[in-house]
Amino acid sequence: MKSLFIFFMLLGAFISNAQSTGGNPKIKEDFTSLKLQKYPLANFPDNASPVSDIKIIQFLSDSMRMGYSYKGNNASVTTLRVTKPLTGFLQDLIYRMYKDDFKKTGIKILWVLKDFRLAEKGTEKTYYEYTNILADAYVSKDGVLYTKALSIDTVIINSGTSNFEKIYSADFESMFRMLTKSTLLIADSVLTKSLEAITFEQIIKLNVPKELPPILKDNFYVDGIYTAFNQFLQNKPSIENYSVSETTKNSLKFIDSITKIEIDSTKIWGICKQGLIYKYDDGDLVPIEKQGKQFIISDFVENTNKYNAVRVYNANARQAPLFMYFAPASILVINPLRFLRKRKYDEPLLVKEVPGIVEKSMLPLAFGINMKTGEFSF
């Protein structure tokens, strides 16, 4: 009976992690479209300079996928997306919020959105939603020359209900209210100083994304061990020949096949084996794969860690999943049970650090890889 159970676990592991550089074509991605509220509430801060217009441009790595959420009784993963091209979607919201308060002789504001992601996490007591923002704000008197007022890199945390369409619509508005207040607090000071002003075209040139790294362009992945995040980006693992074995302490040991020397696991960023990439995380191998211009945890391409998700909606659920961050036994040639994440089922994989969050219980679930730092992100 035990051997039969392990057989099905192995079969599920192989199926759940089957991937190629382009993702699994048999898996149909589920989407939830986010819609704007008809009458969003907003107003300019008291005693702020009059504003004649607010424009936004965006340079996101993925302007379709805004993040991930869960839905339904089985808490299946759904990708959050907007209902039309993102720039138009955001500009429409800005005008709904502020156009009635624009003045003909006011200043002009330009927001440059560089990163924007949404996520959620539920516990038995609290439901959190997260909005990650990286943006620059510019101000102008004539709409020709713009002066940079500020940069914002933060995460907004709110708690609410599980009606995520309504939640995330409100989070867009929260972002703009924060940007508006922060910009107008210093707009006058910025415009009265002799600071460098640049044109709209120069702003675009400054923010045009650089060339994609090889890992996002190449048609195949080079097998090996990455001892640094940049090796992953360049698709050039520093150790191409290695072996993996178990130790008596039920941990994994990596051996350089050329030097026969054990590799310091604290220096391993991840591994690639037969085209499958895993992020190494404190003794765990977490499968990741490309989606658009980023890498996300494989579970969120085709499914999710059901237990972590179900806890949001069913506090009484106690059944652990069969398939949870497995590395296929046929690929790694060791006991596949060692590749179950060592954390307890009630300790899901979290983003390691978020500015402003001190309590670990408030940290968001990890969905993918930050392509600038190599750390888990949402």
Side-chain angles (χ1 to χ4, degrees):
M1 190 71 179
K2 182 178 179 181
S3 61
L4 182 62
F5 173 72
I6 293 177
F7 169 78
F8 281 111
M9 293 183 79
L10 295 183
L11 179 63
F14 183 79
I15 294 173
S16 67
N17 282 278
Q19 63 175 10
S20 65
T21 56
N24 190 336
K26 296 182 180 179
I27 301 300
K28 184 177 181 181
E29 189 173 3
D30 182 83
F31 290 98
T32 292
S33 296
L34 303 178
K35 300 178 182 179
L36 297 177
Q37 298 188 76
K38 290 185 178 180
Y39 304 105
L41 300 175
N43 61 290
F44 291 123
D46 294 337
N47 302 318
S49 297
V51 177
S52 64
D53 195 15
I54 301 176
K55 287 287 197 302
I56 189 167
I57 53 177
Q58 57 87 15
F59 296 91
L60 305 188
S61 60
D62 191 335
S63 59
M64 180 183 73
R65 298 177 180 88
M66 298 291 96
Y68 301 90
S69 183
Y70 306 107
K71 72 176 187 179
N73 294 329
N74 65 343
S76 60
V77 167
T78 183
T79 301
L80 302 172
R81 67 177 178 184
V82 293
T83 54
K84 63 180 182 180
L86 181 61
T87 302
F89 178 91
L90 296 176
Q91 192 66 63
D92 188 16
L93 176 57
I94 290 171
Y95 284 150
R96 288 193 193 190
M97 294 175 69
Y98 295 112
K99 69 177 181 180
D100 291 338
D101 293 321
F102 286 162
K103 308 297 182 184
K104 290 184 178 181
T105 58
I107 64 173
K108 299 179 185 296
I109 296 175
L110 174 66
W111 289 326
V112 181
L113 190 61
K114 299 179 177 181
D115 197 7
F116 181 82
R117 295 190 305 278
L118 299 168
E120 68 171 357
K121 186 179 76 172
T123 67
E124 295 177 5
K125 296 181 179 180
T126 311
Y127 181 91
Y128 298 104
E129 67 262 14
Y130 306 86
T131 306
N132 183 84
I133 306 165
L134 176 60
D136 294 334
Y138 291 82
V139 291
S140 174
K141 291 181 179 179
D142 56 12
V144 177
L145 293 175
Y146 289 85
T147 302
K148 187 175 180 179
L150 56 86
S151 293
I152 289 180
D153 184 0
T154 190
V155 175
I156 299 175
I157 308 171
N158 292 309
S159 59
T161 67
S162 59
N163 185 346
F164 49 79
E165 284 192 44
K166 182 177 180 181
I167 284 174
Y168 290 129
S169 176
D171 281 351
F172 283 112
E173 297 165 28
S174 296
M175 175 184 71
F176 287 138
R177 280 194 291 268
M178 182 193 68
L179 283 171
T180 299
K181 182 177 181 180
S182 301
T183 304
L184 290 178
L185 280 176
I186 62 173
D188 288 339
S189 174
V190 169
L191 290 173
T192 56
K193 294 178 180 178
S194 299
L195 300 176
E196 180 183 4
I198 57 179
T199 65
F200 180 80
E201 289 73 20
Q202 288 174 312
I203 293 173
I204 292 179
K205 187 175 180 180
L206 282 173
N207 289 281
V208 170
K210 297 179 181 179
E211 185 178 2
L212 293 176
I215 199 68
L216 291 175
K217 297 189 302 180
D218 291 351
N219 294 322
F220 67 93
Y221 303 141
V222 178
D223 278 8
I225 292 178
Y226 314 109
T227 57
F229 175 56
N230 190 57
Q231 294 174 14
F232 164 74
L233 292 178
Q234 298 303 316
N235 195 16
K236 290 182 178 180
S238 59
I239 303 172
E240 294 189 18
N241 297 292
Y242 67 96
S243 62
V244 186
S245 63
E246 297 179 63
T247 70
T248 55
K249 296 182 179 180
N250 293 324
S251 61
L252 299 177
K253 181 168 66 175
F254 298 84
I255 305 295
D256 187 319
S257 298
I258 304 299
T259 64
K260 307 300 181 182
I261 297 175
E262 181 177 353
I263 302 163
D264 183 354
S265 62
T266 63
K267 296 182 180 179
I268 296 176
W269 183 89
I271 71 172
C272 179
K273 190 71 172 179
Q274 294 188 14
L276 302 176
I277 298 179
Y278 300 86
K279 172 78 169 71
Y280 187 74
D281 179 54
D282 189 27
D284 303 328
L285 289 175
V286 181
I288 61 175
E289 61 187 88
K290 184 171 69 174
Q291 187 179 77
K293 298 179 182 178
Q294 58 190 349
F295 273 75
I296 70 169
I297 295 172
S298 296
D299 283 357
F300 297 104
V301 173
E302 56 188 89
N303 210 328
T304 184
N305 178 335
K306 289 290 194 228
Y307 188 82
N308 293 339
V310 169
R311 290 178 70 244
V312 176
Y313 296 95
N314 183 2
N316 296 318
R318 290 292 181 269
Q319 184 177 359
L322 291 180
F323 318 132
M324 184 179 176
Y325 296 128
F326 270 111
S330 59
I331 297 296
L332 294 162
V333 200
I334 65 171
N335 181 358
L337 297 182
R338 290 303 315 132
F339 283 83
L340 271 173
R341 294 182 55 249
K342 293 185 301 183
R343 298 174 183 83
K344 297 178 181 178
Y345 286 118
D346 60 352
E347 295 180 2
L349 181 61
L350 303 176
V351 175
K352 303 299 183 185
E353 183 178 356
V354 173
I357 297 182
V358 178
E359 297 268 346
K360 183 179 179 180
S361 62
M362 293 180 63
L363 289 169
L365 294 170
F367 284 95
I369 301 297
N370 184 318
M371 296 301 287
K372 294 181 180 179
T373 67
E375 299 297 326
F376 284 116
S377 66
F378 68 85

